[in-house]
Amino acid sequence: MAKPRVVVVRSAKGWAAGGDPDPALITRMFARGFALLDGASDGKAAAAALFRPDDRIGIKVNTIGGRALSTRPEVATALAGWLAANGPAAKNLFVWDRTTRELKSAGFAPAADRNGVKVFGTDTEGVGYAEDLVSHLNVGSLFSKILTEFVTASISLAILKDHGLAGITAGMKNYFGAIHNPNKYHDGHCDPYVAEVFDAPPVKSRHRLTILDALVVQFHKGPAYHARWAAPYGGLVFSRDPVAADAVGWDIIERLRASAGLPTLKDEGRAPGYLATAERMGLGRADLAAVETVEEAVA
Amino acid sequence: MNRRGFFRQAAGAGLVLGTGLPGLGRSLAAAGAAPNLSHVEARYYVKLPDREIECRLCPRLCRLGDKERGYCGVRENDGGTYYTLVYGKVCSLNIDPIEKKPFYHVLPGRTALSLATAGCNVNCKFCQNWEIAQVRPEQVEAYDLSPGDAAARAAAASCPSIAFTYTEPTVFFEYMVDTAAQARRRGVRSLVVTSGHINPEPLGELLGVVEAVKVDLKGFTQDFYTQYVRGELKPVLETIRAVAKSKAWLEIVALLIPTLNDRMDLIREMCRWIKGEAGEDVPVHFTRFQPMYLIKNLPPTPVSTLEAARRIGLEEGLRFVYVGNVPGHEGENTYCPGCGRVVIARTGYSVDTAGLKKGKCAACGTAIPGLWT
């Protein structure tokens, strides 16, 4: 069986003069990431390998951390722009999270233009949560209608950061923002809940791609922002394998922690055990030796 | 204001009367509205370095970074200070028969102004009110009701008590304690319906302002609490001990779920423990399970199971053991432990107290423990 591929695209100069990410550079990073993901000949082929022409694509961002530590709007906008330029119609792209308030606090501008990219939260009037309770393994939750009714395919565009309970927050845990009761799933270092929420039909049937916003990585004392432990990693991480993507994200955090002289997450008793659980459930590969990691710099 | 006036006013304010639940449809309909959250500093927590906090309200001891919420979903760390988001934010408000709580030895036949905010610090797979208990406060409609207003409304509606119920009152501890204090000033009693997951120190404060506590003893093994409650048994037992030692009246409810917690040897063990630790006069209700929430694959509890449990309780020396959620069953009645006559007859929420005179059996004069007036 072929190893799942994880692509890490990095740029040491990802920021514009004002301190925000440089949109043009981020777009180039996306183009390179998609190209390396499947070896597609061009952007349209790369997009076609992931999505049907009529797919309505949800881009699930993580905006709980405010402006300092959320999926950056510039990254989501660049992704939507790249997709729209390579096949999927802009009107079929939905950037979303659980609340519009959190989206705004992270710098997103809500949008509901009929022909453009939509940006809104589950709490938007007329949206909300699907009324059928999904009972799956240890999970009993309502899922956002954005996931269950609005979109046919999903990208987890997650911020990568340390998490005091889960070990890390990355692509899989991002879907905690798709359920009504994530507070119930933080026991046991969020294990097995992260894997089981992902494995629930509303997520598993739609998820196509994980992309981690690792431009700035909070490698300690997350999930809140602490400048002291936030590193300008300058990376975007891509994978079709949700477990492998998070495993590489964990490795990035461990390397940053080591550089700062911090103990490993395992030593702190909070290794992200959900990855091994997810691997056992057949959701992907957690063992880095079984993952092909491709890293490339973009200028 | 009379009762009719209260209902009219409450209905005019959009309060949910009658069902006790806002209903999920209503909750979803509320999507888009600005969340009605409080920002009142919580009690019982400690500040930690790096804007972290540790909640000390319940045995979970949630340790939270900035912007994170506890397991209950209604208490949030904002910049290193912990806040309750549901102070005075009532999502369910009803006038209920006190027997519905159930309290059988507290003001029988009277009503209780019953209220709740969103949230719970456990996650029972058989939760009967999950639409309000297992959600975050943004996901239900909430109405502002200050402690003083709650107490005033109870008094105006001639409710001799306020019951903190439906969800888990521990999670709205600050509001409950303040409301109970206001109620006491007006001569209104306060009743708590709880899972018992609360730490000793806040429980001590609570017991200073409430008159009665009903604790759900959901099972008698840690394994059951782990699998089906997502909680711990030991703190519940400690809560029962503490309430039994306090001035507050204690009743215990054990919901029996077929195949999950209905082993008769464990029920016997539970009854022995209750008698030994809380006393023979503590009313114990064995109540009937109905398929709900995440357990829909099991049938309702056979009445015979409840009857067997009741027999065991009586055999073990508990003097007041009831069958619950079976309207019209003889096990709903209160029997005099002296002469065996019915002192309080019940059919569902219909109550006849003719057999009880000034807290004693009208036939033989045996004292019946409880809060009767």
Side-chain angles (χ1 to χ4, degrees), chain A residues 98 101 123-125 128-129 131 133 135 138 140 142 163 180-181 183-184 187 193 221 223-226 229, chain B residues 24 28 31-32 50-52 60 66 68 70-73 120 122 130 134-136 138-139 230 293-294:
Chain A
R98 60 182 182 176
R101 174 174 53 87
D123 63 337
T124 302
E125 188 168 6
Y129 293 90
E131 293 185 20
L133 187 71
S135 178
N138 289 288
L142 302 174
H163 192 283
H180 84 290
N181 58 348
N183 48 299
K184 298 300 184 188
D187 284 353
Y193 305 108
K221 287 289 179 184
Y225 178 69
H226 297 274
W229 297 295
Chain B
L24 193 56
L28 293 169
D50 304 314
R51 306 197 305 276
E52 293 184 348
R60 290 191 177 279
D66 191 10
E68 287 194 296
Y71 187 91
C72 59
C120 184
V122 292
W130 71 270
Q134 303 302 338
V135 301
R136 294 154 68 91
E138 296 92 332
Q139 295 159 353
R230 304 293 185 202
Y293 190 37
L294 300 175

Side-chain angles (χ1 to χ4, degrees), chain B residues 63-204:
Chain B
R63 184 172 175 147
L64 305 169
D66 191 10
K67 304 299 180 196
E68 287 194 296
R69 290 192 193 177
Y71 187 91
C72 59
V74 303
R75 305 165 80 81
E76 183 173 278
N77 177 359
D78 185 2
T81 300
Y82 204 36
Y83 294 93
T84 167
L85 307 178
V86 292
Y87 189 99
K89 306 298 180 183
V90 171
C91 69
S92 189
L93 178 68
N94 298 279
I95 294 174
D96 283 341
I98 203 164
E99 284 74 17
K100 188 177 178 182
K101 305 301 109 188
F103 279 107
Y104 276 13
H105 287 232
V106 178
L107 305 173
R110 305 294 298 276
T111 55
L113 182 74
S114 304
L115 60 84
T117 76
C120 184
N121 57 351
V122 292
N123 188 11
C124 301
K125 289 188 173 181
F126 44 88
C127 183
Q128 297 176 48
N129 290 338
W130 71 270
E131 297 98 329
I132 52 174
Q134 303 302 338
V135 301
R136 294 154 68 91
E138 296 92 332
Q139 295 159 353
V140 294
E141 290 180 84
Y143 307 94
D144 294 324
L145 188 67
S146 71
D149 284 347
R153 284 181 180 231
S158 299
C159 290
S161 64
I162 292 178
F164 305 102
T165 181
Y166 304 133
T167 60
E168 173 48 55
T170 298
V171 306
F172 56 90
F173 177 85
E174 297 81 2
Y175 177 57
M176 171 167 59
V177 166
D178 290 356
T179 301
Q182 293 276 349
R184 183 169 281 184
R185 290 191 195 108
R186 289 176 174 270
V188 175
R189 290 183 163 128
S190 291
L191 322 173
V192 183
V193 176
T194 178
S195 72
H197 280 83
I198 182 170
N199 281 337
E201 193 180 353
L203 176 62

Side-chain angles (χ1 to χ4, degrees), chain B residues 255-268:
Chain B
L255 179 78
L256 299 186
I257 305 172
T259 72
L260 301 186
N261 65 352
D262 61 349
R263 271 176 49 191
M264 291 301 152
D265 60 325
L266 288 175
I267 289 171
R268 188 175 294 281

Side-chain angles (χ1 to χ4, degrees), chain A residues 128-169:
Chain A
Y129 293 90
E131 293 185 20
D132 289 336
L133 187 71
V134 175
S135 178
H136 181 72
L137 302 174
N138 289 288
V139 169
S141 294
L142 302 174
F143 282 74
S144 169
K145 284 184 181 174
I146 298 174
L147 191 64
T148 62
E149 297 180 13
F150 286 52
V151 308
T152 57
S154 177
I155 298 172
S156 179
L157 181 59
I159 185 80
L160 172 64
K161 57 184 174 181
D162 173 90
H163 192 283
L165 295 175
I168 65 167
T169 285

